[in-house]
């Protein structure tokens, strides 16, 4: 069987990668719209980027209007900023939200339609070039053809996709992640782990994504707790940056499954950060999927150090679930209850969430068939 495998046009990765990016960035245009959030614009990272652009004699404007997970309203504001400043390419810098937003601003500045009109369709077109620079290790947005935008009218997180959304340049410099707070380190690290695990157990998995997925799982189980405990641990930050990149490539080519499908509605309706809602769901979702491919979950257990080659597959697969639970405890991942979500409000929203999860298409990639009632059952188990 033949496989299609796509990655960003050019990737610079490793400590100091940003400083080496002059030629790659200069090729794209003469004036950049820097798309970012308030936290990143205030912690000195945007200034570091701006200093490089000044040195490279590349003009820029800064749009820091990404105040949370991106919405269609934020994207419209970004398009207005892009058009008013006469920029000819975009640089997204920050966590997944600014990176997703830069892709969407580039696309819809040309398409001139609402993002909701293209939900579930393949986005096509020739858009302004993008450079994506993550300051967290986890979302993988710099590696993917996806962008997640909230439809504020329907209160739904829309998964938008198209190969033309892949950035021309991805710059993964782990030095930019050193200032990430513990909570962000945990959330984005669990997002990366979810990407790796879901792609490895997806119906769309292939031999190339398998290599990246297993490598990412090994790195994350070893280095995420270290990065969480000590954000200045450069070795842990470097390994997590590599793992996030590997896992991002995996979902770009093998997709996500049930966890992401069920996670997006929780984020949309209850404003739980994406990586945290993934972590809340991951054990129960994988416990449901495990019978579809126990040998694959066993392989992940061995990669995580939770089992060895002599451990029977079924036993090893269950040990992987236990290892996930232990990791979540170490990272202080909250439950729905401890996060502060009202149980009655959650239960009242479950039917809509289950329908939205199915409509996203992600659960269909799960190696075991998923119904709406299965999704409702898993939501109930979160309590």
């Amino acid at each position: 069987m033949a496989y299609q495998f796509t990655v960003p046009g050019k990737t610079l990765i490793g400590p100091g990668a940003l400083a080496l990016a002059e030629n790659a960035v200069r090729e794209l245009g003469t004036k950049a719209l820097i798309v970012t959030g308030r936290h990143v614009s205030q912690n000195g990272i945007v200034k570091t980027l701006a200093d490089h652009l000044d040195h490279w004699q590349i003009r820029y404007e800064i749009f820091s209007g990404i105040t949370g997970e991106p919405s269609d309203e934020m994207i419209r504001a970004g398009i207005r900023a892009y058009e008013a400043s006469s920029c000819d390419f975009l640089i997204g810098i920050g966590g997944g939200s600014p990176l997703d937003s830069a892709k969407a601003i580039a696309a819809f500045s040309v398409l001139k339609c609402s993002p909701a009109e293209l939900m579930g369709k393949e986005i096509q077109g020739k858009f302004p070039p993008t450079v994506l620079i993550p300051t967290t290790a986890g979302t993988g947005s710099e590696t993917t053809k996806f962008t997640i935008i909230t439809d504020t009218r329907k209160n739904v997180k829309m998964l938008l996709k198209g190969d033309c959304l892949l950035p021309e340049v991805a710059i993964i410099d782990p030095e930019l992640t050193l200032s990430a707070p513990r909570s962000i380190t945990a959330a984005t690290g669990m997002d990366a782990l979810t990407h790796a695990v879901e792609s490895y157990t997806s119906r769309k998995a292939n031999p190339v994504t398998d290599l990246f997925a297993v490598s990412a799982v090994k790195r994350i189980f070893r280095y995420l707790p270290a990065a969480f405990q000590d954000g200045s641990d450069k070795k842990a930050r470097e390994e997590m940056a590599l793992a996030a990149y590997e896992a991002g490539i995996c979902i770009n080519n093998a997709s996500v499954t049930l966890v992401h499908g069920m996670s997006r509605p929780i984020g949309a309706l209850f404003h739980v950060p994406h990586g945290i809602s993934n972590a809340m769901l991951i054990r129960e979702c994988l416990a449901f999927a495990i019978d579809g491919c126990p040998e694959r979950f066993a392989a992940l257990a061995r990669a995580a150090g939770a089992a060895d080659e002599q451990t029977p597959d079924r036993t090893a697969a269950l040990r992987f679930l236990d290892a996930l639970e232990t990791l979540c405890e170490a990272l202080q991942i909250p439950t729905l209850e401890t996060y502060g979500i009202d149980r009655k409000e959650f239960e009242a929203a479950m039917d809509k969430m289950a329908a939205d999860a199915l409509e996203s298409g992600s659960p269909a990639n799960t190696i075991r068939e998923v119904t709406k009632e299965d999704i409702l059952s898993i939501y109930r188990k979160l309590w």
Side-chain angles (χ1 to χ4, degrees), residues 4-7 146 204-206 209 248-255:
Q4 178 174 315
F5 192 80
T6 55
V7 295
F146 307 114
K204 297 180 179 179
N206 66 63
T209 58
I249 287 176
C250 286
I251 61 167
N252 192 51
N253 293 280
S255 196

Side-chain angles (χ1 to χ4, degrees), residues 51-366:
D51 288 345
H52 283 296
L53 294 175
D54 287 335
H55 180 67
W56 301 337
Q57 297 183 324
I58 296 174
R59 296 178 297 144
Y60 58 87
E61 297 284 344
I62 298 174
F63 173 69
S64 58
I66 309 305
T67 56
E69 295 189 348
S71 68
D72 46 12
E73 294 175 348
M74 294 181 203
I75 301 310
R76 285 193 287 270
I79 291 170
R80 291 194 293 270
Y82 179 76
E83 293 174 343
S85 58
S86 300
C87 293
D88 53 7
F89 73 109
L90 298 95
I91 301 176
I93 184 167
S97 294
L99 272 55
D100 274 8
S101 298
K103 296 180 193 178
I105 293 168
F108 290 98
S109 68
V110 173
L111 295 171
K112 307 296 185 184
C113 67
S114 165
E117 295 177 50
L118 294 179
M119 183 178 175
K121 302 177 182 177
E122 190 78 11
I123 293 177
Q124 296 180 341
K126 184 172 177 57
F127 307 139
T130 56
V131 179
L132 300 184
I133 309 172
T135 61
T136 63
T139 71
S141 182
E142 71 280 1
T143 69
T144 73
K145 60 183 179 183
F146 307 114
T147 182
I148 309 293
I149 307 297
T150 297
D151 181 336
T152 53
R153 186 173 65 86
K154 294 183 177 180
N155 222 2
V156 171
K157 279 191 176 184
M158 301 177 288
L159 173 64
L160 306 173
K161 61 183 179 181
D163 286 345
C164 52
L165 296 179
L166 277 164
E168 277 69 22
V169 178
I171 302 171
I172 296 94
D173 190 333
E175 293 178 353
L176 300 180
T177 70
L178 291 171
S179 62
R182 293 178 84 196
S183 60
I184 299 297
T185 299
T188 56
M190 285 304 298
D191 195 18
L193 180 60
T194 307
H195 293 162
V197 173
E198 287 197 285
S199 62
Y200 190 73
T201 57
S202 167
R203 293 181 187 273
K204 297 180 179 179
N206 66 63
V208 182
T209 58
D210 285 353
L211 292 172
F212 283 99
V214 171
S215 177
V217 167
K218 287 179 180 178
R219 293 185 201 275
I220 293 168
F221 269 92
R222 180 173 180 181
Y223 291 103
L224 178 54
F228 178 76
Q229 290 297 331
D230 180 6
S232 65
D233 185 333
K234 291 187 176 181
K235 174 64 174 175
R237 292 294 196 184
E238 183 176 350
E239 293 291 337
M240 282 304 302
L242 288 168
Y245 182 74
E246 290 172 324
I249 287 176
C250 286
I251 61 167
N252 192 51
N253 293 280
S255 196
V256 290
T257 63
L258 182 58
V259 183
H260 272 72
M262 294 182 62
S263 173
R264 296 187 200 104
I266 294 177
L269 295 179
F270 297 98
H271 311 293
V272 179
H274 176 64
I276 297 298
S277 57
N278 280 349
M280 290 172 170
L281 282 159
I282 191 168
R283 193 187 194 285
E284 291 298 338
C285 287
L286 297 185
F288 169 83
I290 209 165
D291 286 336
C293 54
E295 70 284 353
R296 294 216 140 219
F297 286 99
L300 293 175
R302 295 175 184 116
D308 57 31
E309 294 298 329
Q310 284 67 50
T311 308
D313 282 353
R314 178 70 184 178
T315 302
L318 295 174
R319 287 185 185 175
F320 182 64
L321 299 182
D322 293 339
L324 284 172
E325 188 170 358
T326 300
L327 179 61
C328 286
E329 289 173 356
L331 299 176
Q332 300 173 15
I333 300 297
T335 63
L336 290 171
E337 184 177 13
T338 58
Y339 191 81
I341 293 174
D342 182 85
R343 181 170 183 170
K344 289 183 179 179
E345 289 182 13
F346 187 87
E347 289 175 344
M350 286 198 312
D351 192 75
K352 171 180 167 53
M353 291 195 297
D356 290 346
L358 277 176
E359 188 179 358
S360 75
S362 298
N365 299 322
T366 307

